[in-house]
């Protein structure tokens, strides 16, 4: 269980952060219950982080299962998995995948704009991996982009 310390002062999500991760050709590949082959995407600092976007694309010629996890005290805790179609978000036909979709991560809170989000406490990281290695061809990769805002105390 994660505890969030209540502050006597207000705090706001006001420092924009964007992070990128890549699993390149011949990399990746481990079972969902394995702690290996995760790529850390973004780590919360200060008063925490609000993640409001996690987009996965792939130019791999084969579909891949992508697992999203939260790293807490050095241990990866999977929170969802989805099959990413070949060439998702890279060929104009197969769309990129919104990992925060309610169809993928059931039970996430929803903000005022109707978008799902995750909160990460100080020191927690968001990570991803594939369950099988990306095709061993130069340039092939599964990529993940994270949009977030850092919580900061009121100035």
């Amino acid at each position: 269980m994660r505890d969030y310390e209540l502050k006597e002062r207000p705090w706001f999500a006001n420092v924009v952060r964007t992070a990128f991760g890549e699993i390149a050709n011949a990399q990746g590949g481990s079972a969902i219950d394995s702690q290996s082959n995760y790529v850390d995407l973004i780590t919360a600092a200060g008063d925490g982080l609000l993640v409001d976007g996690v987009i996965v694309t792939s130019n791999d010629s084969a579909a891949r299962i992508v697992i999203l996890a939260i790293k807490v005290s050095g241990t990866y805790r999977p929170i969802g998995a989805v099959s990413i179609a070949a060439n998702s978000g890279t060929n104009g036909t197969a769309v990129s995948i919104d990992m925060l979709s309610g169809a993928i991560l059931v039970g996430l809170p929803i903000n005022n704009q109707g978008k799902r989000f995750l909160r990460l406490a100080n020191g927690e990281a968001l990570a991803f991996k594939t369950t099988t290695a990306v095709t061993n061809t130069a340039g092939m990769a599964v990529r993940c982009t994270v949009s977030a805002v850092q919580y900061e105390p009121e100035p």
Side-chain angles (χ1 to χ4, degrees):
M1 183 169 151
R2 301 182 313 174
D3 294 322
Y4 291 94
E5 179 182 337
L6 294 176
K7 306 289 184 182
E8 290 182 16
R9 65 195 190 299
W11 41 284
F12 302 95
N14 62 358
V15 178
V16 175
R17 296 187 53 200
T18 304
F20 306 94
E22 176 179 281
I23 301 171
N25 63 309
Q27 296 177 338
S30 64
I32 192 167
D33 57 349
S34 169
Q35 290 290 304
S36 62
N37 295 327
Y38 277 101
V39 174
D40 288 358
L41 295 163
I42 194 166
T43 302
D47 287 327
L49 192 70
L50 185 140
V51 177
D52 56 6
V54 179
I55 305 299
V56 178
T57 62
S58 173
N59 66 350
D60 197 337
S61 57
R64 299 284 167 223
I65 295 175
V66 172
I67 299 168
L68 193 65
I70 297 175
K71 182 177 167 185
V72 180
S73 300
T75 300
Y76 293 98
R77 310 283 185 186
I79 59 172
V82 67
S83 180
I84 306 295
N87 298 306
S88 288
T90 63
N91 68 358
T93 303
V95 299
S96 56
I97 302 299
D98 175 3
M99 289 293 290
L100 298 184
S101 162
I104 297 169
L105 295 179
V106 178
L108 289 178
I110 299 172
N111 67 16
N112 292 338
Q113 291 80 38
K115 178 74 174 127
R116 295 179 190 285
F117 64 93
L118 281 170
R119 288 188 187 105
L120 298 178
N122 185 351
E124 294 177 344
L126 192 63
F128 83 121
K129 72 174 179 176
T130 57
T131 58
T132 55
V134 173
T135 301
N136 190 10
T137 302
M140 297 272 182
V142 175
R143 295 178 178 92
C144 189
T145 303
V146 176
S147 169
V149 285
Q150 189 76 38
Y151 286 117
E152 296 290 333
E154 180 181 33

